[in-house]
PDB file of all heavy atoms in Angstrom:
ATOM      1  N   ALA A  72     103.357  87.506  29.942  1.00  0.00           N
ATOM      2  CA  ALA A  72     104.439  86.447  29.793  1.00  0.00           C
ATOM      3  C   ALA A  72     104.730  85.816  31.161  1.00  0.00           C
ATOM      4  O   ALA A  72     104.871  84.561  31.222  1.00  0.00           O
ATOM      5  CB  ALA A  72     105.684  87.044  29.151  1.00  0.00           C
ATOM      6  N   ARG A  73     104.830  86.605  32.186  1.00  0.00           N
ATOM      7  CA  ARG A  73     105.126  86.105  33.515  1.00  0.00           C
ATOM      8  C   ARG A  73     104.009  85.167  34.022  1.00  0.00           C
ATOM      9  O   ARG A  73     104.281  84.047  34.471  1.00  0.00           O
ATOM     10  CB  ARG A  73     105.373  87.257  34.464  1.00  0.00           C
ATOM     11  CG  ARG A  73     105.864  86.762  35.878  1.00  0.00           C
ATOM     12  CD  ARG A  73     105.842  87.840  36.931  1.00  0.00           C
ATOM     13  NE  ARG A  73     104.485  88.209  37.306  1.00  0.00           N
ATOM     14  CZ  ARG A  73     103.612  87.474  38.015  1.00  0.00           C
ATOM     15  NH1 ARG A  73     104.016  86.300  38.426  1.00  0.00           N
ATOM     16  NH2 ARG A  73     102.446  87.937  38.348  1.00  0.00           N
ATOM     17  N   LEU A  74     102.764  85.582  33.867  1.00  0.00           N
ATOM     18  CA  LEU A  74     101.664  84.845  34.341  1.00  0.00           C
ATOM     19  C   LEU A  74     101.484  83.518  33.558  1.00  0.00           C
ATOM     20  O   LEU A  74     101.214  82.482  34.086  1.00  0.00           O
ATOM     21  CB  LEU A  74     100.347  85.646  34.284  1.00  0.00           C
ATOM     22  CG  LEU A  74     100.250  86.833  35.264  1.00  0.00           C
ATOM     23  CD1 LEU A  74      99.087  87.742  34.912  1.00  0.00           C
ATOM     24  CD2 LEU A  74     100.130  86.306  36.667  1.00  0.00           C
ATOM     25  N   GLU A  75     101.672  83.606  32.214  1.00  0.00           N
ATOM     26  CA  GLU A  75     101.540  82.415  31.375  1.00  0.00           C
ATOM     27  C   GLU A  75     102.650  81.434  31.650  1.00  0.00           C
ATOM     28  O   GLU A  75     102.497  80.246  31.593  1.00  0.00           O
ATOM     29  CB  GLU A  75     101.437  82.800  29.907  1.00  0.00           C
ATOM     30  CG  GLU A  75     100.067  83.409  29.544  1.00  0.00           C
ATOM     31  CD  GLU A  75      99.941  83.727  28.097  1.00  0.00           C
ATOM     32  OE1 GLU A  75     100.879  83.687  27.331  1.00  0.00           O
ATOM     33  OE2 GLU A  75      98.752  83.988  27.678  1.00  0.00           O
ATOM     34  N   THR A  76     103.866  81.972  31.889  1.00  0.00           N
ATOM     35  CA  THR A  76     104.979  81.110  32.257  1.00  0.00           C
ATOM     36  C   THR A  76     104.792  80.393  33.567  1.00  0.00           C
ATOM     37  O   THR A  76     105.014  79.210  33.768  1.00  0.00           O
ATOM     38  CB  THR A  76     106.320  81.896  32.323  1.00  0.00           C
ATOM     39  OG1 THR A  76     106.548  82.520  31.008  1.00  0.00           O
ATOM     40  CG2 THR A  76     107.517  81.044  32.626  1.00  0.00           C
ATOM     41  N   GLU A  77     104.249  81.137  34.521  1.00  0.00           N
ATOM     42  CA  GLU A  77     103.896  80.555  35.812  1.00  0.00           C
ATOM     43  C   GLU A  77     102.869  79.454  35.691  1.00  0.00           C
ATOM     44  O   GLU A  77     103.023  78.367  36.276  1.00  0.00           O
ATOM     45  CB  GLU A  77     103.362  81.645  36.826  1.00  0.00           C
ATOM     46  CG  GLU A  77     103.090  81.108  38.191  1.00  0.00           C
ATOM     47  CD  GLU A  77     104.295  80.536  38.924  1.00  0.00           C
ATOM     48  OE1 GLU A  77     105.397  81.017  38.755  1.00  0.00           O
ATOM     49  OE2 GLU A  77     104.098  79.586  39.726  1.00  0.00           O
ATOM     50  N   GLU A  78     101.853  79.670  34.819  1.00  0.00           N
ATOM     51  CA  GLU A  78     100.882  78.665  34.545  1.00  0.00           C
ATOM     52  C   GLU A  78     101.515  77.435  33.909  1.00  0.00           C
ATOM     53  O   GLU A  78     101.198  76.217  34.255  1.00  0.00           O
ATOM     54  CB  GLU A  78      99.775  79.255  33.603  1.00  0.00           C
ATOM     55  CG  GLU A  78      98.623  78.351  33.373  1.00  0.00           C
ATOM     56  CD  GLU A  78      97.570  79.011  32.481  1.00  0.00           C
ATOM     57  OE1 GLU A  78      97.504  80.258  32.390  1.00  0.00           O
ATOM     58  OE2 GLU A  78      96.744  78.267  31.917  1.00  0.00           O
ATOM     59  N   LEU A  79     102.400  77.666  32.960  1.00  0.00           N
ATOM     60  CA  LEU A  79     103.126  76.563  32.278  1.00  0.00           C
ATOM     61  C   LEU A  79     103.927  75.758  33.332  1.00  0.00           C
ATOM     62  O   LEU A  79     103.855  74.513  33.341  1.00  0.00           O
ATOM     63  CB  LEU A  79     104.063  77.130  31.252  1.00  0.00           C
ATOM     64  CG  LEU A  79     105.025  76.151  30.581  1.00  0.00           C
ATOM     65  CD1 LEU A  79     104.321  75.215  29.617  1.00  0.00           C
ATOM     66  CD2 LEU A  79     106.172  76.910  29.910  1.00  0.00           C
ATOM     67  N   LEU A  80     104.655  76.466  34.149  1.00  0.00           N
ATOM     68  CA  LEU A  80     105.450  75.793  35.245  1.00  0.00           C
ATOM     69  C   LEU A  80     104.571  74.958  36.144  1.00  0.00           C
ATOM     70  O   LEU A  80     104.877  73.765  36.428  1.00  0.00           O
ATOM     71  CB  LEU A  80     106.153  76.844  36.084  1.00  0.00           C
ATOM     72  CG  LEU A  80     107.453  77.422  35.474  1.00  0.00           C
ATOM     73  CD1 LEU A  80     107.943  78.542  36.390  1.00  0.00           C
ATOM     74  CD2 LEU A  80     108.531  76.321  35.367  1.00  0.00           C
ATOM     75  N   GLN A  81     103.440  75.478  36.604  1.00  0.00           N
ATOM     76  CA  GLN A  81     102.584  74.862  37.513  1.00  0.00           C
ATOM     77  C   GLN A  81     101.885  73.597  36.851  1.00  0.00           C
ATOM     78  O   GLN A  81     101.827  72.534  37.478  1.00  0.00           O
ATOM     79  CB  GLN A  81     101.510  75.701  38.121  1.00  0.00           C
ATOM     80  CG  GLN A  81     102.041  76.830  39.042  1.00  0.00           C
ATOM     81  CD  GLN A  81     102.813  76.255  40.237  1.00  0.00           C
ATOM     82  OE1 GLN A  81     102.431  75.256  40.803  1.00  0.00           O
ATOM     83  NE2 GLN A  81     103.895  76.900  40.515  1.00  0.00           N
ATOM     84  N   ASN A  82     101.459  73.774  35.629  1.00  0.00           N
ATOM     85  CA  ASN A  82     100.658  72.713  34.975  1.00  0.00           C
ATOM     86  C   ASN A  82     101.505  71.599  34.449  1.00  0.00           C
ATOM     87  O   ASN A  82     101.020  70.465  34.268  1.00  0.00           O
ATOM     88  CB  ASN A  82      99.774  73.315  33.830  1.00  0.00           C
ATOM     89  CG  ASN A  82      98.692  74.177  34.353  1.00  0.00           C
ATOM     90  OD1 ASN A  82      98.245  74.083  35.484  1.00  0.00           O
ATOM     91  ND2 ASN A  82      98.197  75.054  33.467  1.00  0.00           N
ATOM     92  N   ASN A  83     102.773  71.899  34.107  1.00  0.00           N
ATOM     93  CA  ASN A  83     103.566  70.887  33.397  1.00  0.00           C
ATOM     94  C   ASN A  83     104.824  70.486  34.135  1.00  0.00           C
ATOM     95  O   ASN A  83     105.400  69.411  33.830  1.00  0.00           O
ATOM     96  CB  ASN A  83     104.015  71.439  32.026  1.00  0.00           C
ATOM     97  CG  ASN A  83     102.809  71.643  31.162  1.00  0.00           C
ATOM     98  OD1 ASN A  83     102.195  70.676  30.653  1.00  0.00           O
ATOM     99  ND2 ASN A  83     102.401  72.857  30.989  1.00  0.00           N
TER     100      ASN A  83
END
Side-chain angles (χ1 to χ4, degrees):
R73 189 190 68 71
L74 291 168
E75 288 183 348
T76 301
E77 183 62 32
E78 185 177 340
L79 172 75
L80 280 171
Q81 293 303 320
N82 291 339
N83 296 285

